[in-house]
Amino acid sequence: MRKIILGVAVSLDGLIEGPNGEYDWCFTDQDYGMEDFLKRIDAIFYGRKSFEVASNYIFPSKKRYIFSNTLAEVPEEATLVQGDGVEEAKKIMSQPGKDIWLFGGASLTTAFLHANLVDEIWLSIHPIILGSGKPLFRGVQERKHFILRETKTYNTGLVSVLYERK
C-alpha cells in the first residue's frame, strides 16, 4: 500500500506560516532533499487553502488531489475530492503507485492524523523563530508515536528529519 508523507517546512517554534500567511522565511538556496523526495511520490494531497497558496508551484508529473467541500471545480489536471476525505484517501492509497505527499491543509492533516493515515513526517526545520503564525499541528487530541528514521543537517542550519509512524 502507498504511504502518505506529510512533508513540510517548519520554524524552530513549530510554525508553518508567519502571522500574515507568509512563508518567505523558507530557504530556497539549494535542493534540501526535494529532488529525492519527489522521486518517491507520484501524487499530492492538498486542502483547498493549501492548493490556492501552492498553485504557483507546479509539479506537472504528479497527480494532484484537492480535498474540498466548498470548491465547485478545480483545474483540469487535478482531481476534486469531496465528501469523506479520509475514505477517499484510503481508496487512493490502495491504488497502484508511488507514495503520496500530504502537502498540507491544517484540517486535512488533522483528519489524516486522527485516522492514522500519516505514515511519515518529513520536516525541514528552519533556524528561525517566527513568534506568531500558523502552528504545524492543531486539533490533535491524542498522542501519535513516531520513530526517527533519518536526519540531515545542512550548512545553512536547516535540519531535515524523517519520522515513521510507530
Side-chain angles (χ1 to χ4, degrees):
M1 181 169 290
R2 301 162 84 178
K3 292 181 180 180
I4 293 180
I5 304 160
L6 173 61
V8 66
V10 63
S11 66
L12 288 175
D13 51 348
L15 303 174
I16 57 172
E17 292 179 2
N20 300 306
E22 71 273 15
Y23 49 92
D24 59 343
W25 50 273
C26 293
F27 294 167
T28 58
D29 61 312
Q30 56 184 291
D31 177 66
Y32 294 108
M34 194 65 171
E35 186 176 332
D36 287 338
F37 176 71
L38 289 173
K39 290 176 185 174
R40 285 189 63 190
I41 66 162
D42 64 1
I44 305 171
F45 285 172
Y46 299 93
R48 179 189 56 83
K49 291 178 190 172
S50 293
F51 179 72
E52 289 170 352
V53 168
S55 60
N56 296 336
Y57 301 102
I58 303 297
F59 301 100
S61 64
K62 310 302 178 194
K63 178 78 174 155
R64 297 184 298 165
Y65 296 89
I66 297 96
F67 289 73
S68 172
N69 289 319
T70 58
L71 288 175
E73 60 183 43
V74 295
E76 185 178 309
E77 67 279 0
T79 300
L80 178 61
V81 178
Q82 295 184 308
D84 187 341
V86 167
E87 286 307 312
E88 291 301 317
K90 288 178 182 177
K91 289 177 189 174
I92 296 165
M93 290 173 70
S94 69
Q95 297 169 359
K98 294 181 178 182
D99 293 334
I100 302 164
W101 180 9
L102 174 53
F103 186 88
S107 59
L108 189 62
T109 297
T110 300
F112 284 10
L113 281 168
H114 281 280
N116 292 318
L117 292 183
V118 177
D119 298 294
E120 295 181 8
I121 298 175
W122 177 41
L123 301 176
S124 294
I125 305 167
H126 289 65
I128 184 171
I129 294 174
L130 296 175
S132 65
K134 184 186 285 184
L136 174 58
F137 298 113
R138 288 191 295 197
V140 179
Q141 299 173 357
E142 61 184 42
R143 293 178 183 183
K144 302 292 178 183
H145 297 273
F146 288 81
I147 299 167
L148 180 65
R149 290 291 181 219
E150 185 178 309
T151 63
K152 185 165 184 182
T153 303
Y154 295 87
N155 61 357
T156 58
L158 184 142
V159 178
S160 174
V161 294
L162 178 66
Y163 293 96
E164 183 177 69
R165 184 166 36 104
K166 191 172 180 180

